[in-house]
Amino acid sequence: MPEPQTPDQGGKKSPSVSVCLPADHSPVEEELQMKQTQKQGTSVGKRAPGEDHQPSQPSGIFVERPQSATATKGKDITFVAKVDSSNMAKKPTMKWLKGKWLDLGSKAGKHLQFKEVYDRNTKIYTYEMSIIKVVDGDAGSYRCEVTAKNKCDSSPFEVSVQAAPEEQQDNILEAFKRSGDGGEDAGELDFSALLKKREKKPKVVEEAEVDVFLILKDAKPCDYERIAFEYGITDLRGLLKRLKKMKKVEPKKSDAFLRKLDAAYSVDKGKKIHLSVEVTDPNTPVKWLKNGQEVKPSAKYVFESVGNKRTLTINKCNQSDDAAYECVVGEEKSFTEVFVKEPPVTITKLLDDAHTVVGQKVEFEVEVSEEGANVKWMKDGVELNKETAGSRYRFKKDGRRHVLIVNEATKEDIGMYHALTNGGESKAELEVEDKELEVLQSIADLTVKAAEQAVFKCEVSDENVKGKWLKDGVEVRPSDRVKITHFGRTHKLMIDDVKPSDAGDYSFVPDGYALSLSAKLNFLEIKIAYVPREDPPKIHLDAGGPGGDNTITVVAGNKLSLDVQITGEPAPTVCWRKGDQVVPEGEGRVHVESNKSLSSFIIERAEKDDEGRYSISVTNAAGEDVVELNVKIVDVPSPPENVRCTSVGEYSGAIAWDPPAFDGGVPIKGYLMERRKVGSSRWTKLNFDVHESTAYEAKRMIEGVLYEMRVFTVNGVGTSEPSATSQPFMPIAPTGEPTRLTVDDVTDTTCALKWRPPEKIGAGGIDGYIVEYCKEGGDQWVQANEEPVVNNQYRVKGLPVGERMLFRVTAVNIAGRSPPATLPQAVTIREIVENPKIRVPRHLRSKLTVRVGEKVNLVLPFQGKPRPVATWSKDGVLLEDKAVGTRTSDVDAILFIRSAERSHSGKYTLSVQVESALDSADLHIQVVEEPGPPVAVRVADVWGSNAALEWKPPKDDGNCEIIGYTVHKADMKTKDWFTVVEHNRRPGCTVSDLVMGNEYLFRVFSENVCGLSAEPGISQNTAIVTKTGLSHNRAPFKEADVNCSPKFTAPLMDRSVVAGYSTAISCAVRGYPKPKIIWMKNNMIISEDPKFLMQNNQGVLTLNIRKPGVYDGGKYSCRAANDLGEDVVECKLEVHVVQEKGAAAKN
């Protein structure tokens, strides 16, 4: 039984969700996005009225959030987000999303670019997303999500696109733009810039299929390899064999075929291809063969037969479809071959330079555009594989990641490493230096008394290093009194019960290193001597400064502890001064500690202000002694200033800098330089020995890669902080000269030139071309264009008539101009007469049908020189209708109507004339609209359960043929309309299966090519289906009261889920009127958060939670309310994090 049309279905439009995809999206991504759109549409259509959008509470991870912005079409725009990682154990993960779930990371390329920068001082990550040359499809809602272990934060923002401002042009013809990249003489004219802006749905522009073998037929043999590489063909030998067979085949006349298959077809992997022939007999059957086997119809292979045309469509082509195909008609066959091209594999993440020491493991990682792609590794031009690499190198594949592992690096591994695919290449340099042993703590001199213990201790950087202890050059052996220990990085020599014979020079020598740590053991003998009761005070101090001036040098930040021995009887009084200021005792950063025979002057964390002259004075009853000393504070220098790139070469770059403002108090020894690729976090050292000059030339760089430089200052104390990073620079070389410079067109005052790009372009690319001309025999070249032209063609204007001129073209990039390409012969500036000829496009050769209100834009190309005179006429009368606009250029004429009306129907004629030569072409336009309703609809007869209807055709047929009628019926009790007849071609019909005892009303819609009429024709009378011989008196009908308050028939259940796996909670409710549903988490209403998807299916309520984290756990509740009351159910959701095996074992 037909379904009734509810008011919502018939009169109102359901909420629609539009999806804007980037221009380079794939069909698979489009399908996934459309599925997501359907889900969103369900959610929008069934959301409770009270659910408003509420922004989520930030977790404090973002320092700076991206802001909503309005971008200008064709311009670039950048969004910045900053994340504080000071409280994070691991590096945060950032995702840029569009809409609900579309991850933009997979779209990285020329249109979308991403950047990540880390500041080690502030521990802040800066993420940037740049949209290059904004298009209308980039408008919409965006979101950036950052996750780090148990923390997560999200920041939404909006992007709207506005049209670029247009400048008023004096000549209206300049407002027309041509489609394509051919320049001002190629493509079709587009006058949309002059019309009112209207919103348009984004359209996917399909690239025209290119037949590679048609290109190879006309190409030179020396260009075969270049063309094959350009179109992704790797089997060059097979290509040459097939091309040779194609050239030998001579076309023969066929009795069965009007048109045979082409010699070969080429198609991209994943696309579809059509193989079509035309047969002589339209009723003859055909068979399709693939490699000699018959092809059967299926979803992949679709057969079509229209008139004389037979077509085989192959959907979703893959490598198995790369084969020979035949079309068989009787005894005759037509052969062809299909070549399936795989898209080139590009490198999305480049290699980083590596710097390590001998014995360490090194990993080179590269990421490609497709999983399972082949990546070839090379070192200094030699291929590395499992057979030749041995155990030194290992190769690892993980999805799109490819890793080359050098197990234990040696000096032999130094060199340039390459990762190559069929669509890209990346280079990185490996530098290996000898491993140095660092002394963390040296041994110190000891002075001990008899029977005491002497302990020598040192600490080195490598805990696996062993060594020997020597005394006066003789190895020390362990004994009862002498013990030698080695624990971790610490080495100890302990001597118990020290004797006078133990005094001497001790040293520790690490095995395998030219290093020796020495110290002296002094044996202290105790002697008793008579001391007078009174002895003048004496200061025993020798700071050992140059010239005996008692100068003490201290490194800033270190501790100074100066012990001064004092003698005198009775014990003298000690006083330290800096100038006239007394140094306090026992407190402060600078203080003094004294006892009977020793006074210690201590400076904690020495600063520059502590530098100066100090004095110590001791006094007692027997006299006084004073000694002065000088304290000098030294520090590491400040970094160099104004680091800059002064020049670049093809593989090098020269940098210079200014000396630091502060040298640290000691002479500067030199400088250390580092470089890195822009976007990389790894710095590579350029020199290991200090460089004394303030200029340096960095070599062994990769052309076309952006680099940054920084410089360190080195003095006797240490190395400074790095300088500010230089501006990025790129090693590049000038391009080669343009090729194939030819003359395209000549008029009385202009000359059009065309050329091809240089064979050698380089990584710097081409910024444009400079066109110059001069008279034949002269040497003064005049530049024709003020700014470099981007296209490979240019028309030089303002030339003298009849002169012979020479032309040349030069390519320009950041490195300068290339050598010029010059025409071999001079060109005479004079126009050639050509008869006019109109070329009518195929779709305009038949009648053009448009709907009322639509826009009409017709372009008719023509040729002729000098410029033909074009005139338009309608139905034989010169066109003077102001609603119909015309435009004429040198090569085509345009007819456009902003809003078509039925009066615009008719025959339009274009005539072009050059002197006495004339050519014309006719265009037939029919403007149609929806028809009017049928008239005189009535019920002609009723019998049994049938009713006969009659009507007359509508008075207005919409300017086209009526193709049918649609009939609806409605029971007079319910007034619900049902469709009973569609596409009825006669002005009458019979409606059956009517219910006896009911009264029916009918309405009829007329239909033409534009659709159904806006209004129906209502029947003038009704059809009453009477019951024969039966009568029944019904009791009065009493309508039941179905109103009730909401009540949950199925409650929410507690759930325990694993983090990262999507889940859902559900319940069921009933109530009338339909209750309003509100979902809450921890008593907070859940707004339109993309993580949550709320559904209501006939009272079954479901809340879908996408990839929950720990922070998504808590108490969830669902509230249903109407005018009669409300009801609430609750549940508890627990989210568990599964630990990795390594982490669990460690705990």
Side-chain angles (χ1 to χ4, degrees):
M1 188 173 182
E3 294 291 335
Q5 295 182 350
T6 63
D8 289 342
Q9 295 172 343
K12 297 182 180 180
K13 295 184 179 180
S14 60
S16 62
V17 180
S18 64
V19 179
C20 295
L21 293 176
D24 58 348
H25 72 285
S26 66
V28 177
E29 293 166 345
E30 181 179 0
E31 182 179 355
L32 294 175
Q33 189 70 11
M34 292 303 298
K35 292 181 178 179
Q36 184 60 36
T37 303
Q38 295 172 3
K39 292 183 180 180
Q40 296 175 9
T42 304
S43 177
V44 171
K46 299 183 178 181
R47 186 176 294 112
E51 294 179 3
D52 296 328
H53 175 71
Q54 294 183 356
S56 59
Q57 295 295 329
S59 60
I61 299 179
F62 279 102
V63 176
E64 180 180 342
R65 298 173 180 269
Q67 303 297 323
S68 299
T70 299
T72 303
K73 186 176 180 181
K75 303 293 184 180
D76 301 346
I77 189 170
T78 301
F79 298 91
V80 180
K82 294 185 179 180
V83 176
D84 185 8
S85 63
S86 57
N87 297 325
M88 299 180 185
K90 294 184 178 179
K91 175 184 176 182
T93 301
M94 170 64 76
K95 284 187 178 181
W96 295 88
L97 306 172
K98 181 177 180 182
K100 287 278 186 177
W101 318 110
L102 181 59
D103 189 353
L104 299 178
S106 60
K107 303 293 183 182
K110 293 183 178 179
H111 186 61
L112 285 174
Q113 296 180 2
F114 302 90
K115 183 179 179 182
E116 174 184 337
V117 178
Y118 177 64
D119 190 343
R120 298 182 181 274
N121 297 325
T122 60
K123 295 186 178 179
I124 290 179
Y125 283 88
T126 302
Y127 300 91
E128 294 183 4
M129 179 185 74
S130 299
I131 306 177
I132 308 301
K133 295 184 180 179
V134 175
V135 297
D136 293 335
D138 294 326
S141 299
Y142 289 75
R143 186 174 77 259
C144 62
E145 287 185 355
V146 58
T147 56
K149 204 172 182 181
N150 295 335
K151 296 184 179 180
C152 180
D153 200 356
S154 173
S155 179
F157 58 97
E158 298 288 331
V159 177
S160 58
V161 179
Q162 66 179 5
E166 299 178 358
E167 297 180 359
Q168 184 67 29
Q169 298 177 352
D170 298 333
N171 186 0
I172 192 171
L173 292 178
E174 296 179 359
F176 290 89
K177 298 180 180 178
R178 294 186 178 274
S179 61
D181 299 328
E184 62 184 38
D185 291 336
E188 296 182 353
L189 287 175
D190 181 8
F191 57 91
S192 58
L194 299 178
L195 302 179
K196 182 178 179 182
K197 301 292 182 182
R198 292 187 179 180
E199 295 183 355
K200 294 184 178 180
K201 297 182 179 179
K203 297 183 179 180
V204 178
V205 180
E206 297 183 358
E207 295 183 359
E209 296 183 356
V210 178
D211 192 345
V212 180
F213 286 89
L214 292 180
I215 299 175
L216 291 171
K217 275 186 176 181
D218 302 329
K220 298 179 181 179
C222 60
D223 295 332
Y224 285 173
E225 185 174 358
R226 176 182 60 80
I227 296 174
F229 181 80
E230 181 179 352
Y231 288 92
I233 300 175
T234 57
D235 186 6
L236 185 59
R237 181 174 298 176
L239 179 144
L240 294 175
K241 290 182 179 179
R242 295 177 180 178
L243 185 62
K244 186 176 181 181
K245 292 179 181 179
M246 290 171 53
K247 291 185 176 181
K248 289 183 178 180
V249 175
E250 296 180 0
K252 296 181 180 179
K253 293 185 179 180
S254 172
D255 296 333
F257 292 92
L258 296 176
R259 180 176 60 84
K260 290 190 174 183
L261 294 169
D262 294 340
Y265 295 85
S266 177
V267 63
D268 291 331
K269 184 179 180 181
K271 299 295 183 66
K272 66 180 179 180
I273 189 173
H274 304 280
L275 309 180
S276 62
V277 298
E278 291 184 8
V279 296
T280 306
D281 185 2
N283 299 320
T284 184
V286 300
K287 289 197 302 182
W288 293 92
L289 304 180
K290 172 184 175 182
N291 290 336
Q293 301 294 325
E294 185 176 358
V295 178
K296 300 295 183 181
S298 63
K300 184 174 183 64
Y301 300 99
V302 180
F303 296 172
E304 296 182 17
S305 176
V306 180
N308 295 63
K309 188 176 181 180
R310 303 292 186 268
T311 304
L312 168 63
T313 302
I314 307 174
N315 295 313
K316 296 182 180 179
C317 294
N318 51 39
Q319 290 302 318
S320 63
D321 299 318
D322 190 301
Y325 291 83
E326 303 174 32
C327 181
V328 181
V329 179
E331 298 297 329
E332 293 194 27
K333 299 180 180 180
S334 178
F335 298 87
T336 188
E337 294 194 25
V338 175
F339 297 93
V340 180
K341 301 183 297 182
E342 289 191 3
V345 179
T346 60
I347 296 178
T348 59
K349 181 180 179 182
L350 301 176
L351 294 173
D352 289 331
D353 295 338
H355 180 266
T356 186
V357 296
V358 174
Q360 296 294 323
K361 183 174 74 172
V362 180
E363 292 187 0
F364 289 103
E365 179 181 339
V366 69
E367 187 173 318
V368 297
S369 57
E370 292 188 8
E371 293 187 5
N374 292 324
V375 176
K376 182 168 69 173
W377 294 92
M378 300 185 69
K379 175 183 178 291
D380 295 332
V382 179
E383 182 178 357
L384 300 177
N385 52 46
K386 294 182 179 180
E387 290 75 15
T388 61
S391 61
R392 177 180 296 179
Y393 301 101
R394 288 192 297 114
F395 305 92
K396 181 180 177 182
K397 291 184 180 180
D398 183 11
R400 296 188 301 168
R401 292 175 55 251
H402 293 256
V403 184
L404 170 64
I405 302 174
V406 183
N407 291 323
E408 294 183 0
T410 63
K411 287 286 188 176
E412 297 178 356
D413 297 322
I414 297 176
M416 187 69 69
Y417 289 79
H418 301 249
L420 298 94
T421 65
N422 62 353
E425 177 183 2
S426 180
K427 304 177 184 178
E429 185 179 5
L430 174 61
E431 295 183 356
V432 182
E433 61 177 282
D434 292 327
K435 191 173 183 181
E436 296 182 357
L437 185 66
E438 183 179 356
V439 178
L440 304 179
Q441 180 181 349
S442 183
I443 58 178
D445 295 343
L446 297 176
T447 301
V448 296
K449 300 177 182 179
E452 291 183 347
Q453 184 187 48
V455 179
F456 290 100
K457 183 176 73 171
C458 66
E459 186 176 354
V460 295
S461 58
D462 192 348
E463 62 182 13
N464 297 322
V465 171
K466 298 180 180 180
K468 297 179 181 179
W469 288 93
L470 305 177
K471 177 193 174 186
D472 298 330
V474 180
E475 183 178 357
V476 179
R477 299 291 182 179
S479 64
D480 295 338
R481 286 194 314 114
V482 179
K483 297 180 177 60
I484 300 176
T485 62
H486 173 205
F487 182 74
R489 296 181 297 185
T490 304
H491 298 260
K492 287 185 180 180
L493 171 63
M494 295 178 291
I495 305 175
D496 297 331
D497 191 14
V498 175
K499 299 178 181 179
S501 60
D502 295 328
D505 294 328
Y506 288 81
S507 60
F508 176 74
V509 179
D511 294 342
Y513 294 92
L515 179 66
S516 177
L517 307 179
S518 302
K520 191 171 184 179
L521 177 61
N522 299 315
F523 184 79
L524 180 61
E525 295 184 3
I526 301 176
K527 297 181 180 180
I528 301 175
Y530 173 76
V531 179
R533 291 185 65 86
E534 290 187 2
D535 188 11
K538 181 66 176 176
I539 300 174
H540 303 276
L541 173 63
D542 182 10
D549 58 352
N550 288 340
T551 299
I552 300 175
T553 302
V554 185
V555 177
N558 288 358
K559 177 181 178 181
L560 170 62
S561 179
L562 179 62
D563 297 333
V564 180
Q565 187 176 0
I566 301 170
T567 59
E569 187 66 29
T573 301
V574 182
C575 180
W576 288 83
R577 288 186 175 85
K578 180 181 181 183
D580 297 333
Q581 186 177 359
V582 178
V583 179
E585 185 170 351
E587 62 182 11
R589 188 176 57 83
V590 181
H591 63 277
V592 178
E593 296 179 359
S594 301
N595 56 29
K596 183 177 181 180
S597 61
L598 193 67
S599 179
S600 299
F601 175 65
I602 299 173
I603 301 178
E604 301 283 353
R605 302 181 304 278
E607 299 177 355
K608 188 67 177 176
D609 294 340
D610 298 328
E611 190 174 77
R613 299 289 297 181
Y614 290 81
S615 64
I616 176 176
S617 62
V618 292
T619 58
N620 66 359
E624 180 182 7
D625 191 11
V626 178
V627 174
E628 292 187 352
L629 55 91
N630 183 34
V631 176
K632 182 179 181 182
I633 308 297
V634 297
D635 200 354
V636 295
S638 61
E641 300 176 349
N642 191 23
V643 180
R644 58 200 180 275
C645 177
T646 57
S647 64
V648 295
E650 188 173 2
Y651 303 106
S652 63
I655 60 170
W657 59 91
D658 297 333
F662 174 61
D663 62 359
V666 293
I668 293 176
K669 293 184 177 181
Y671 303 92
L672 298 176
M673 282 71 68
E674 290 184 351
R675 77 174 183 216
R676 73 173 178 185
K677 299 175 183 176
V678 173
S680 174
S681 60
R682 182 179 298 174
W683 289 93
T684 303
K685 289 184 179 180
L686 298 182
N687 62 318
F688 296 99
D689 297 329
V690 294
H691 182 72
E692 297 180 357
S693 175
T694 57
Y696 184 80
E697 183 179 6
K699 300 181 179 180
R700 302 180 67 182
M701 306 175 82
I702 302 174
E703 183 184 9
V705 176
L706 284 173
Y707 287 92
E708 295 174 329
M709 302 284 289
R710 68 182 183 184
V711 185
F712 299 80
T713 308
V714 181
N715 65 1
V717 179
T719 304
S720 70
E721 293 292 322
S723 67
T725 305
S726 69
Q727 291 294 328
F729 63 92
M730 179 189 298
I732 56 174
T735 67
E737 63 180 26
T739 58
R740 300 185 184 179
L741 176 60
T742 57
V743 176
D744 188 40
D745 185 28
V746 179
T747 66
D748 287 341
T749 58
T750 65
C751 178
L753 304 175
K754 292 184 6 179
W755 60 88
R756 297 289 297 166
E759 295 181 355
K760 178 184 177 183
I761 295 179
I766 296 177
D767 296 336
Y769 300 91
I770 299 295
V771 181
E772 297 175 308
Y773 64 90
C774 77
K775 294 183 179 180
E776 185 180 19
D779 57 355
Q780 294 183 354
W781 291 91
V782 180
Q783 184 170 326
N785 52 327
E786 297 180 359
E787 298 293 335
V789 294
V790 180
N791 296 329
N792 294 341
Q793 58 183 3
Y794 185 76
R795 180 177 290 274
V796 182
K797 300 179 181 180
L799 299 175
V801 180
E803 288 286 347
R804 292 180 58 82
M805 308 296 292
L806 290 172
F807 297 91
R808 69 182 185 184
V809 180
T810 306
V812 180
N813 69 356
I814 192 173
R817 293 192 178 189
S818 70
T822 307
L823 283 176
Q825 296 180 353
V827 180
T828 302
I829 309 303
R830 182 174 289 110
E831 189 167 20
I832 303 173
V833 178
E834 181 181 355
N835 290 334
K837 177 66 177 178
I838 301 176
R839 302 188 179 276
V840 182
R842 180 173 297 178
H843 69 283
L844 298 179
R845 296 175 185 173
S846 58
K847 181 181 293 185
L848 178 65
T849 303
V850 295
R851 301 183 64 170
V852 171
E854 289 185 349
K855 179 177 63 176
V856 179
N857 179 16
L858 306 180
V859 180
L860 291 181
F862 58 78
Q863 63 187 28
K865 291 184 181 180
R867 176 176 175 175
V869 178
T871 56
W872 286 92
S873 60
K874 178 184 177 185
D875 298 328
V877 180
L878 186 66
L879 183 61
E880 296 180 352
D881 190 351
K882 295 182 179 180
V884 180
T886 60
R887 297 288 185 272
T888 306
S889 69
D890 293 341
V891 294
D892 52 23
I894 300 174
L895 173 72
F896 63 91
I897 305 173
R898 287 186 172 86
S899 179
E901 299 178 0
R902 289 171 61 172
S903 60
H904 294 147
S905 301
K907 182 178 72 172
Y908 292 82
T909 303
L910 171 65
S911 301
V912 291
Q913 184 175 5
V914 176
E915 296 179 355
S916 61
L918 179 67
D919 192 16
S920 62
D922 295 334
L923 302 177
H924 296 272
I925 299 178
Q926 182 181 12
V927 183
V928 300
E929 62 180 343
E930 293 85 356
V935 298
V937 181
R938 68 185 187 89
V939 179
D941 190 13
V942 179
W943 72 96
S945 60
N946 306 309
L949 301 179
E950 293 180 353
W951 61 85
K952 295 181 179 179
K955 297 180 180 179
D956 182 9
D957 60 0
N959 200 26
C960 61
E961 180 186 3
I962 300 296
I963 61 175
Y965 301 91
T966 298
V967 182
H968 291 174
K969 72 176 181 180
D971 190 343
M972 297 297 292
K973 298 177 182 178
T974 62
K975 299 290 185 176
D976 292 334
W977 291 99
F978 296 85
T979 301
V980 293
V981 178
E982 291 183 315
H983 310 303
N984 187 69
R985 301 191 65 86
R986 298 185 304 103
C989 70
T990 300
V991 180
S992 304
D993 298 331
L994 300 177
V995 179
M996 299 184 65
N998 291 350
E999 183 179 1
Y1000 291 92
L1001 183 66
F1002 299 90
R1003 67 182 184 186
V1004 183
F1005 294 86
S1006 55
E1007 182 180 4
N1008 63 5
V1009 293
C1010 296
L1012 298 177
S1013 59
E1015 298 292 336
I1018 307 297
S1019 61
Q1020 301 172 357
N1021 56 344
T1022 60
I1024 301 175
V1025 183
T1026 61
K1027 297 182 179 179
T1028 58
L1030 296 175
S1031 63
H1032 175 68
N1033 296 326
R1034 291 186 177 182
F1037 174 76
K1038 183 178 181 181
E1039 184 177 1
D1041 186 9
V1042 296
N1043 294 335
C1044 64
S1045 61
K1047 184 173 182 62
F1048 284 92
T1049 58
L1052 293 173
M1053 306 299 294
D1054 293 342
R1055 294 289 305 274
S1056 178
V1057 300
V1058 177
Y1061 292 86
S1062 299
T1063 186
I1065 55 177
S1066 59
C1067 58
V1069 68
R1070 67 181 179 184
Y1072 191 85
K1074 185 176 180 181
K1076 171 185 173 183
I1077 306 302
I1078 299 176
W1079 286 93
M1080 294 178 290
K1081 173 188 174 184
N1082 296 330
N1083 296 327
M1084 298 295 292
I1085 296 177
I1086 299 175
S1087 61
E1088 296 182 359
D1089 192 332
K1091 179 177 283 293
F1092 300 97
L1093 177 63
M1094 293 165 279
Q1095 295 178 328
N1096 184 349
N1097 185 11
Q1098 301 294 330
V1100 178
L1101 311 178
T1102 305
L1103 177 64
N1104 296 283
I1105 306 174
R1106 178 178 177 268
K1107 295 183 179 180
V1110 176
Y1111 51 86
D1112 290 321
K1115 182 178 73 174
Y1116 286 81
S1117 57
C1118 181
R1119 178 191 299 166
N1122 62 9
D1123 295 338
L1124 302 178
E1126 67 177 28
D1127 195 8
V1128 180
V1129 291
E1130 298 179 348
C1131 73
K1132 185 178 181 182
L1133 178 66
E1134 295 181 356
V1135 181
H1136 300 283
V1137 178
V1138 179
Q1139 294 184 344
E1140 299 180 356
K1141 295 183 179 180
K1146 189 173 182 180
N1147 294 335

